[in-house]
Amino acid sequence: MAITAYLAEHYDEALTEFRAVRRMTGNHEVLAMMADCERALGRPDKALALTKDKHVHDLSEPTQMELLIVAAGARRDKGQTAAAIQMLEVPELTKRTRADWLPRLRYAYADALAEAGRTDDALVWFHRAAGVDGDGLTGAAERAAELEGLEFTDLDEDDTVLDDEYFEDETTDTDDTADVIDAADAADAADVAVAEVDDAADVDDADADETADVIDAVDAVDAVDADVDDAAGVDGAGGVGEDVGSDG
């Protein structure tokens, strides 16, 4: 219940529950969270008093480091930034460890340096904090980018925008390609139609030529027949005359 209230930022309730846990179980590992609740409630002096509890030296290393971070924050709340920086200059800053408290300790130190106007030093320690913060929980990389004058943006959002723009362009390109293909097909169809018309015209011309040839041939035959008929008439007439004449 204490941790749930603490994570929900219900610090009054969390502090009450942490005190109950400590009283009933003798577990002093809750001191760091208790001090942070006091600080969140605007009581930095009470937070600092908890960091001097007689059981502090019995705490585990992670809890001692968290308590140190809270104590430095309380000093900064009181306007004692230089004192906060001095408190955080401990050997653990350069310790080789994968402990969760290391990026938090380095971030707190870098943040205090930035508040003191020591921008170059702060930039170094923000980078060092980011170097051990594989999950990016402290935001050290963003702070370093800000100090360097860079704009740090969410990569997932950029990827989304990029994907949207890419696919929009791709769709447009696809549509344009389809239009070109349709235009080409239309042109091909037009060419085919023209060719068919030309072929039809050629066929018609051929048929007309053939019809004219047939008509000419028929006319020629008719002319020949007429000539034959005329010739036959003449010969027939002459023969009859001759016959008659001969009979006569």
Side-chain angles (χ1 to χ4, degrees), residues 28-228:
H28 304 295
E29 295 293 324
V30 298
L31 274 172
M33 288 181 283
M34 290 176 63
D36 199 32
C37 286
E38 293 287 9
R39 184 186 170 208
L41 292 170
R43 301 193 290 251
D45 289 329
K46 288 187 175 182
L48 288 170
L50 285 173
T51 67
K52 299 175 182 178
D53 189 272
K54 63 182 181 179
H55 296 288
V56 169
H57 297 293
D58 299 328
L59 301 177
S60 64
E61 183 180 50
T63 302
Q64 288 187 11
M65 292 298 101
E66 293 293 341
L67 196 58
L68 177 62
I69 293 170
V70 173
R75 288 293 182 188
R76 291 175 59 185
D77 292 341
K78 292 170 63 67
Q80 301 170 358
T81 304
I85 292 173
Q86 186 175 4
M87 288 180 68
L88 292 170
E89 289 176 340
V90 293
E92 286 80 4
L93 270 176
T94 56
K95 188 173 183 177
R96 293 181 179 276
T97 177
R98 295 181 179 275
D100 293 337
W101 53 262
L102 183 59
R104 289 174 45 75
L105 178 63
R106 290 181 176 181
Y107 182 90
Y109 183 57
D111 195 36
L113 290 170
E115 184 176 300
R118 295 168 57 181
T119 304
D120 291 340
D121 294 333
L123 182 59
V124 170
W125 283 99
F126 276 130
H127 277 300
R128 297 194 70 177
V132 294
D133 187 7
D135 296 327
L137 299 178
T138 64
E142 291 91 331
R143 292 295 303 277
E146 289 175 2
L147 289 179
E148 290 173 336
L150 302 176
E151 182 178 356
F152 194 93
T153 58
D154 191 334
L155 294 181
D156 290 337
E157 292 180 1
D158 283 352
D159 287 342
T160 302
V161 172
L162 179 59
D163 289 344
D164 291 342
E165 291 177 352
Y166 173 77
F167 286 115
E168 182 179 355
D169 292 342
E170 185 178 39
T171 302
T172 303
D173 292 342
T174 302
D175 293 339
D176 292 342
T177 302
D179 292 340
V180 171
I181 292 173
D182 291 341
D185 290 342
D188 290 342
D191 291 340
V192 170
V194 171
E196 289 176 350
V197 171
D198 291 341
D199 291 341
D202 292 341
V203 171
D204 291 341
D205 291 342
D207 290 342
D209 292 341
E210 290 177 359
T211 302
D213 292 342
V214 171
I215 292 172
D216 292 340
V218 171
D219 291 342
V221 171
D222 290 342
V224 171
D225 288 342
D227 292 340
V228 171

